[in-house]
């Protein structure tokens, strides 16, 4: 059986998933051109829940016994009453022809995101398994395709909240995101555990003889010139090729399937929020005068670095203004929603913001492409939320393996986006508590874990700073391992509720202490207050729109004269769905400055008044 690209291992649950190996399809975004083809097979698919897990034994990959229709991409939870809280096994099935003009090419199936564990069949043959949601996987299906009749593609998916996964499910019965007050469904994180095929499902073809697998672009600046280094992988290809960047060209000579070239761009336009200029890069493989494969995409020439306690974009200090956010919208859940993304970027710019974090998982590739084009800076985060180092060595080791896998997949996918300026390896890890394990031992376990993740990330991409987003009260030792200190703080909400002056003093004290001890740039990656739309009072009280404005004002004032604070990300951009819980009214987190359907609260207008002036 062929195995999907980039895949972890989960051996304790009923249907273990085999680890995958990198294949020749790569994770380049599929592209239609004279030599390549793409067919989006998203749309309405057949769908059926499988709570007894009997589908594989009964060959549901050939025919579902009682199907209903479901849109792909989408989450299943918001569509069907009996599936709202269902996270078990479910099946998707599609029938369709492969274009006859593709004969003679290599054909791949690419799934943009299957949350969480997926298995794929083509015409009754199991071809791939993939473990971990939010990132794409691809598998070659040339040998399984039928050319004279419809092909049946079936995908089974489950999103069980298991402690050995990343993000982990509750390790102890009844434990969850709020300790003794766990949400339903039980999770270790404070957002809804949406399940399903969340991004498009594509068929694509590449030339059979030789084709481009992977491309890595690294840009630097030399005075007014841009330096563009391009490394191309093309399987076992040993011929020639060409690299073209606007009007500049360079030859490629492949050895063992790899080639490298460097181009100088005189008087280059450096990519930044105020001028997000993109250059068109085209790579071709050639045999004599014949082009046998080609791939094109936009790149930005820019540098990002940490110097002392400053974050530098193109050698100049940059301040991040923006939000944490979620891929979350009514009905579509976490499914790709391009109208939502276009509107979100419009509102982001309207507030005067220049950035956001992909809390707490990688977002759609199309969102990254829009960020490139619009000049939005992105902190790109793997799904490592809910890590608890009090859960013991065995679980920690398994989670480390999965975090490594997720980092490899994310960096392979997003390494060429100029908008991605920082990698984030985790959000709010905790020391927890376990029988026979001290807090000091948990801190040490986390220190070893994050030191390895830092090294792995730096090995995969040495061009971007790396960060860890720390929980209020979390170990400072973990923060110090990384290039940038990122902290989530809720003085005035979870701590010192209603006491904004005191909250500001405590925030200032902690910021100064962090700067004195670590001397690195600090980004406040979360701060905010739950706010019921339309709730008002004077003087401001918690949950009112006035209180949200005053809390944000106090935080922004606190950092105004602290230049080492390199960014302020409000939590959150928009209200979002959570599990049911006594502290989450209407199963919602109301910390958004916009409502879930993107109507502005008073806080959005306040931020516009502050950020548009800066």
């Amino acid at each position: 059986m062929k195995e999907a690209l980039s895949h972890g291992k989960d051996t304790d649950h009923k249907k273990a998933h085999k680890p995958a190996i990198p294949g020749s399809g790569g994770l380049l975004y599929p592209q239609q051109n004279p030599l390549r083809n793409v067919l989006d097979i998203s749309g309405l698919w057949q769908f059926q829940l499988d709570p007894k897990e009997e589908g594989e034994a009964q060959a549901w990959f050939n025919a579902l016994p009682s199907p209903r229709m479901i849109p792909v991409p989408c989450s299943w939870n918001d569509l069907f009453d009996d599936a709202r809280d269902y996270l078990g096994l479910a099946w998707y099935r599609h029938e369709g022809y492969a274009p006859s003009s593709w004969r003679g090419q290599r054909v791949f199936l690419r799934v943009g995101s299957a949350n969480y564990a997926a298995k794929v069949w083509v015409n009754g043959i199991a071809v791939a398994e993939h473990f971990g949601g939010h990132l794409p996987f691809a598998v070659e299906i040339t040998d399984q395709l039928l050319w004279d009749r419809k092909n049946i593609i079936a995908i089974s998916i489950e999103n069980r909240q298991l402690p050995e996964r990343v993000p982990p499910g509750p390790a102890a019965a009844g434990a969850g995101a709020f300790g003794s007050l766990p949400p339903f469904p039980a999770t270790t994180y404070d957002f809804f555990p949406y399940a399903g095929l969340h991004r498009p499902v594509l068929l694509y073809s590449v030339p059979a003889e030789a084709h481009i697998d992977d491309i890595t672009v690294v840009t630097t600046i030399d005075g007014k010139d841009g330096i563009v280094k391009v490394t191309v992988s093309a399987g076992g290809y040993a011929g020639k090729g060409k690299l073209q960047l606007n009007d500049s060209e360079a030859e490629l000579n492949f050895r063992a399937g790899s080639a490298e070239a460097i181009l100088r761009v005189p008087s280059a336009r450096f990519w930044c929020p105020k001028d997000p200029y993109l250059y068109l890069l085209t790579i071709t493989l050639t045999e004599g005068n014949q082009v046998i494969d080609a791939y094109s995409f936009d790149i930005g020439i820019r540098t990002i670095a940490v110097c002392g306690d400053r974050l530098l974009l193109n050698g100049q200090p940059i301040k991040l203004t923006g939000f944490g956010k979620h891929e979350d919208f009514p009905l579509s859940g976490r499914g790709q929603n391009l109208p939502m993304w276009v509107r979100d970027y419009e509102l982001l710019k309207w507030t005067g913001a220049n950035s956001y974090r992909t809390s707490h998982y990688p977002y759609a590739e199309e969102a990254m492409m829009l960020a490139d084009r619009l000049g939005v800076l992105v902190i790109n985060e793997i799904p490592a939320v809910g890590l608890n180092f009090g859960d013991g060595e065995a679980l920690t080791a398994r989670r480390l393996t999965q975090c490594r896998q997720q980092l490899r997949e994310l960096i392979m996918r997003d390494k060429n986006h100029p908008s991605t300026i920082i990698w984030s390896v985790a959000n709010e890890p905790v020391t927890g508590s376990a029988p026979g394990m001290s807090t000091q031992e948990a801190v040490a376990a986390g220190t070893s874990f994050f030191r390895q993740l830092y090294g792995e990330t730096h090995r995969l991409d040495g061009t971007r700073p790396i960060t860890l987003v720390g929980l209020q009260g979390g170990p400072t030792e973990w923060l110090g391992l990384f290039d940038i200190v990122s902290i989530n703080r809720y003085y005035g909400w979870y701590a010192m509720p209603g006491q904004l002056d005191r909250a500001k003093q405590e925030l200032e004290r902690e910021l100064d202490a962090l700067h004195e001890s670590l001397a690195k740039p600090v980004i406040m990656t979360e701060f905010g207050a739950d706010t019921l739309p339309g709730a008002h009072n004077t003087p401001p009280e918690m949950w009112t729109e006035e209180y949200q404005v005053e809390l944000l004002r106090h935080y922004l004032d606190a950092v105004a004269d602290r230049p080492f604070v390199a960014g302020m990300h409000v939590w959150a951009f928009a209200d979002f769905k959570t599990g049911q819980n006594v502290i989450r009214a209407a199963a919602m987190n109301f910390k958004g400055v916009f409502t879930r359907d993107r109507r502005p609260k008073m806080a959005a207008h306040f931020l516009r008044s502050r950020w548009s002036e800066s």
Side-chain angles (χ1 to χ4, degrees), residues 223-434:
K224 293 183 178 181
D225 297 348
I227 309 298
V228 180
K229 177 182 176 183
V230 182
T231 304
V232 183
S233 172
Y237 182 65
K240 293 186 177 297
K242 185 172 69 174
L243 184 156
Q244 184 168 359
L245 187 70
N246 285 16
D247 297 327
S248 302
E249 291 187 359
E251 295 296 320
L252 293 171
N253 295 297
F254 285 85
R255 292 182 176 84
S258 182
E260 185 177 286
I262 297 177
L263 282 173
R264 176 177 288 269
V265 182
S267 300
R269 290 175 65 177
F270 301 137
W271 186 96
C272 64
K274 292 184 178 180
D275 183 23
Y277 185 80
L278 297 173
Y279 290 83
L280 179 63
L281 175 68
T282 300
I283 295 101
T284 55
L285 307 183
T286 57
E287 286 185 357
N289 294 324
Q290 182 183 4
V291 176
I292 60 175
D293 192 23
Y295 192 88
S296 300
F297 63 102
D298 292 324
I299 70 165
I301 298 176
R302 63 106 181 98
T303 60
I304 187 75
V306 168
C307 183
D309 59 8
R310 301 294 191 273
L311 177 64
L312 305 180
L313 177 66
N314 301 331
Q316 299 299 315
I318 183 78
K319 297 285 187 181
L320 305 185
T321 55
F323 304 91
K325 70 188 305 294
H326 272 289
E327 286 188 310
D328 174 275
F329 205 74
L331 295 183
S332 58
R334 192 148 297 124
Q336 177 177 285
N337 187 325
L338 295 182
M340 179 204 78
W341 270 113
V342 170
R343 184 59 178 161
D344 282 5
Y345 280 120
E346 192 76 6
L347 293 173
L348 192 86
K349 291 290 188 177
W350 177 83
T351 63
N354 63 15
S355 59
Y356 66 88
R357 175 169 60 117
T358 69
S359 41
H360 301 294
Y361 41 82
Y363 292 171
E365 290 158 285
E366 292 79 1
M368 299 299 103
M369 294 173 186
L370 281 170
D372 294 342
R373 187 163 297 277
L374 297 172
V376 177
L377 307 170
V378 179
I379 300 175
N380 215 334
E381 189 165 274
I382 64 170
V385 55
L387 296 178
N388 186 333
F389 291 94
D391 288 342
E393 293 182 6
L395 287 175
T396 295
R398 296 184 66 175
R399 293 168 185 168
L400 178 61
T401 298
Q402 290 171 55
C403 285
R404 287 178 179 272
Q405 167 215 332
Q406 291 165 347
L407 281 168
R408 287 192 296 270
E409 291 183 354
L410 177 61
I411 293 173
M412 180 182 289
R413 193 195 77 168
D414 288 350
K415 60 188 173 183
N416 295 324
H417 289 290
S419 56
T420 291
I421 60 166
I422 299 168
W423 302 116
S424 173
V425 304
N427 177 76
E428 295 189 344
V430 298
T431 55
S433 60

Side-chain angles (χ1 to χ4, degrees), residues 21-42:
I21 56 175
S24 58
L27 284 182
L28 292 175
Y29 191 79
Q31 183 173 105
Q32 180 73 51
N33 64 30
L35 298 158
R36 293 170 170 245
N37 296 287
V38 181
L39 176 63
D40 190 340
I41 61 173
S42 306

